Amino acid sequence: MIGLISATAAGAAARDRLAAAWPDRTRVYDGPVADAVRRAFAECEQLVCFLATGAVVRLVAPLLAGKAADPGVVCVDEAGRFAVSLLGGHGGGANALATEVGEVLGARPVVTTATDAVDLPGLDTLGLPVEGDVAGVSRALLDGEPVALDAEVTWPLPPVPFADGPAAHTVRLTDRAVEAGPREVLLRPPTLVVGVGASRGAPADEVLGLVEEALRDAGLSARSVAELATVDAKSDEPGILAAAARLGVPVVTYSAEELSAVDVPNPSAAPLAAVGTPSVAEAAALVRGGQLLVPKRKSAMATCAVVRRPGRGRLAVVGLGPGARDLLTPRARDELRRASVLVGLDQYVDQIRDLLRPGTRVLESGLGAEEERARTAVAEARAGHAVALIGSGDAGVYAMASPALAEASDDIDVVGVPGVTAALAAAAILGAPLGHDHVSISLSDLHTPWEVIERRVRAAAEADLVVTFYNPRSRGRDWQLPKALAVLAGHRTPDTPVGVVRNASRPDGSARLTTLGALDPATVDMMTVVTVGNTATRDIAGRMVTPRGYRWQEAAE
């Protein structure tokens, strides 16, 4: 919950705008300001104070308990010009909150955290438990001193400019129960799965004690436990649920049928008779693969086993849109900044190179290497990296998503990031040509036989669909567009509107509205999108419009 505090009418007006925008996230604190701040500080995860920063500093200073416990605090001036991240920039989420507040109120976010200022991800913002000399190692990164990454396990990290060889400072990625050394930071990835079984009524202390003992004896950190896994018959077992809650992890359950199919070293007749599977703890830990680090061990009423699952790489397939920077989606920006490896066509990389964080490894290649780029991106993800594979428009439309997903198996996580397609960008410029049913067809026969393409064009013509042609004409392919237009002309009149848009949304872009009979294919190239209307499409005030067929339109005619 976000506590909102103000002292004046102007502050209250801005406060109420934020409360209206986030009704489920915010709570307004009325009354004397000092009392309101004290109550909100104790009850909320974050505060937005519509007060002077000096006043807020004096009010919260006596309340501070420590970096890990204090809420994030953002100050907004009464004119609503600035949203200042004052306290808990990373741990309390105040930096991100300042940006969100700025988007709602039109205020400029002010963030002074050093790593954010130079566009480096903070070591305490990587989504992993962190221990050790965070301040010292962060300072070394900021000062450009070499910092080594010692990755004992694989995990997809955002870009950090780690040194290639030994260095005075180290970030250690480990799930082992070790202490951080001098000038060292430990990152704890959630690589451990603990399978548990328990008799009905097993005490939480016994379940938790058995788990902690198993981890301790194996030299493993409880902070790297991702989940407790068990059979679904135990999904409501109080001792298991309470143990998971105290560890701060979820309980994941599987059916007895799923667990019975898992090959385990220590099957038993007892769980088979009780819940229908010869193994609960080992099978639940191993059901999604991994290395068995702690075989089944027992207490009076519980069993557990520990598995290390390999870190799964992450592949984000990102659509960059048609080229204009303001048509690049916020989600695409976030994925570009999250990726430690970027794979893409050289000219697309050039479009967004300035958005990448320092330390991002860029693997670029030229035209015609689509399949190679797809294989490279998947291989980098399988190596445990956070990868962004970029394409223009929407990466799933005549772009990189298809070849990449054809290469990818279920050993990596895949995220699709939609983008504004060339067809949509061109349509917005032309008017509303896609107002009714429509289809996109690529005229490139490099991967699809022309006979197949022509059959699809003919089907679209017979179905009276608006058609958007991608890849309409190149130097080596100059006959396909005239052939496709001839097919459409067999079903549509010569005055059918046709929109021709080149480099949609870019500074050198152009657009014109012509007709099916007047279009000269020689004026079209590979950077052009050609949209041919259906029998209802009209030129209305110089705009290409395909009506939805509403009755009011029929009446107007």
Side-chain angles (χ1 to χ4, degrees), residues 414-443:
V414 177
V415 177
V417 182
V420 178
T421 68
L424 295 180
I429 293 169
L430 293 170
L434 308 183
H436 211 299
D437 295 338
H438 54 274
V439 63
S440 294
I441 299 176
S442 171
L443 294 184

Side-chain angles (χ1 to χ4, degrees), residues 319-494:
L320 301 180
R325 180 58 62 86
D326 59 353
L327 291 181
L328 178 70
T329 68
R331 186 178 299 180
R333 286 174 179 262
D334 290 344
E335 289 295 345
L336 294 176
R337 292 169 57 77
R338 176 174 181 166
S340 61
V341 180
L342 182 87
V343 182
L345 179 66
D346 47 13
Q347 60 185 344
Y348 297 152
V349 172
D350 289 340
Q351 290 180 22
I352 48 83
R353 198 184 297 272
D354 62 302
L355 298 178
L356 304 178
R357 275 181 156 155
T360 304
R361 184 158 51 94
V362 177
L363 304 176
E364 53 188 312
S365 53
L367 285 168
E370 287 79 11
E371 293 181 355
E372 176 189 344
R373 284 195 292 276
R375 287 191 294 268
T376 297
V378 171
E380 291 288 338
R382 284 186 177 137
H385 300 300
V387 182
L389 175 63
I390 59 173
S392 67
D394 183 287
V397 179
Y398 303 123
M400 293 306 302
S402 178
L405 268 61
E407 291 284 337
S409 51
D410 62 359
D411 55 348
I412 61 173
D413 295 324
V414 177
V415 177
V417 182
V420 178
T421 68
L424 295 180
I429 293 169
L430 293 170
L434 308 183
H436 211 299
D437 295 338
H438 54 274
V439 63
S440 294
I441 299 176
S442 171
L443 294 184
S444 171
D445 56 359
L446 295 178
H447 301 288
T448 306
W450 173 253
E451 294 76 14
V452 174
I453 296 172
E454 184 175 2
R455 187 167 67 247
R456 291 170 179 172
V457 174
R458 194 173 306 281
E462 293 173 351
D464 198 27
L465 298 173
V466 175
V467 181
T468 298
F469 288 124
Y470 279 73
N471 306 313
R473 184 176 181 273
S474 67
R475 292 178 183 176
R477 295 186 302 100
D478 58 0
W479 58 268
Q480 287 89 342
L481 179 59
K483 181 74 171 178
L485 294 175
V487 171
L488 290 175
H491 298 267
R492 300 176 195 186
T493 61

